[in-house]
């Protein structure tokens, strides 16, 4: 599922790509991102991939021109950089800004935070009500990125994949808080098994 890429290598074939966590912003990172954007398969962009889009207009334009599904998963600071705005402005009207992101990049945009928002380019959006402060820890955004990519690789529509992933990620946090009496201590590495249990529970309930 994950293959190393050296400086001279092309990206391997894949059903979906998740690009950004741990990527860096050097020239090699930009080249790898450019390759991923050019591939005709679903693509999830997070972390440094978003920072590269915010500073390299040519990459942003290539994302907007993609025919294959694209999902962007910024937190408010990343969203502000992508929209040439401020965190305060993004947070003052989260719906308007997640819609702007989806339209600007012709993508499904996930604006993370309390009440994460998932928007399509046509302006339709969903609000997630699961999860809480237990998910505000290092690596949790990477878990969400991988979860969205896994659902895309299984053939889900981008909007549904992003919506389900955000919901499941939040449910994993809710389960942890209920079991441990509070939000402190959920490591990213412990979240994936909880996501699996949450998904199996949803499937069992129909």
């Amino acid at each position: 599922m994950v293959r190393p890429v050296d400086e001279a290598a092309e990206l391997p074939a894949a059903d979906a790509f998740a690009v950004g966590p741990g990527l860096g912003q050097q020239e090699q990172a930009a080249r790898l991102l450019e390759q991923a954007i050019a591939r005709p398969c679903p693509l999830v962009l997070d972390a440094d991939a978003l920072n590269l889009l915010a500073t390299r207009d040519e990459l942003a334009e290539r994302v907007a021109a993609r025919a294959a599904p694209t999902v962007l998963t910024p937190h408010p600071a990343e969203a502000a950089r992508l929209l040439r705005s401020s965190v305060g402005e993004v947070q003052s009207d989260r719906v308007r800004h997640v819609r702007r992101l989806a339209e600007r990049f012709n993508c499904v945009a996930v604006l993370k935070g309390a009440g994460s928002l998932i928007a399509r380019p046509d302006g339709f959006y969903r609000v997630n009500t699961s999860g809480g402060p237990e998910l505000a820890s290092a690596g949790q955004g990477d878990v969400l990125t991988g979860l969205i990519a896994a659902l895309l690789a299984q053939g889900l529509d981008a909007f549904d994949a992003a919506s389900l992933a955000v919901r499941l990620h939040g449910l994993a946090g809710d389960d942890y808080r209920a079991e441990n009496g509070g939000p402190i201590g959920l490591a990213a590495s412990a979240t994936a098994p909880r996501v699996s249990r949450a998904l199996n529970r949803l499937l069992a309930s129909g």
Side-chain angles (χ1 to χ4, degrees), residues 8 20 22 55 70 92 106 108 115 119 137 139 159-161 186 197:
T55 58
T70 308
S92 69
N106 185 34
V108 171
S137 62
F159 186 61
D160 289 337
L186 178 58
R197 290 198 292 272

Side-chain angles (χ1 to χ4, degrees), residues 133-168:
E134 63 282 345
L135 297 173
S137 62
Q140 291 291 355
D142 300 357
V143 174
L144 178 61
T145 295
L147 181 54
I148 296 171
L151 294 172
L152 287 169
Q154 294 176 71
L156 267 70
D157 166 82
F159 186 61
D160 289 337
S163 300
L164 178 58
V166 171
R167 178 70 175 165
L168 290 170

Side-chain angles (χ1 to χ4, degrees), residues 17-25 29 33 43-52 142 145:
F17 282 103
V19 182
L23 181 66
Q25 299 182 54
L33 176 56
L43 175 64
V44 188
L45 300 179
D46 185 30
D48 279 328
L50 301 179
N51 292 325
L52 286 167
D142 300 357
T145 295

Side-chain angles (χ1 to χ4, degrees), residues 26 28 32 46 48 70 87 90 107 119-120 122-123 127 158 184:
Q26 67 275 25
Q28 181 199 359
L32 291 173
D46 185 30
D48 279 328
T70 308
V87 174
V90 169
C107 71
R120 300 187 313 216
D122 64 3
V127 182
I184 297 173

Side-chain angles (χ1 to χ4, degrees), residues 64-111:
R66 293 188 86 235
T70 308
V71 181
L72 270 58
T73 63
H75 56 57
E78 290 164 340
R81 288 193 285 271
L82 288 166
L83 294 171
R84 310 290 202 270
S85 184
S86 70
V87 174
E89 289 174 328
V90 169
Q91 291 293 76
S92 69
D93 193 342
R94 286 169 55 84
V95 170
R96 183 170 75 88
H97 286 86
V98 75
R99 283 172 158 172
R100 284 183 61 200
L101 283 168
E103 181 181 19
R104 164 71 180 86
F105 292 96
N106 185 34
C107 71
V108 171
V110 177
L111 180 56

Side-chain angles (χ1 to χ4, degrees), residues 130-132 134-135 167-183 186 190-202:
S130 65
E134 63 282 345
L135 297 173
R167 178 70 175 165
L168 290 170
H169 191 230
L171 289 174
D174 291 345
D175 288 349
Y176 176 85
R177 188 172 64 251
E179 293 166 12
N180 293 276
L186 178 58
T191 304
R194 295 177 180 279
V195 167
S196 177
R197 290 198 292 272
L199 179 55
N200 282 317
R201 192 168 65 242
L202 288 179

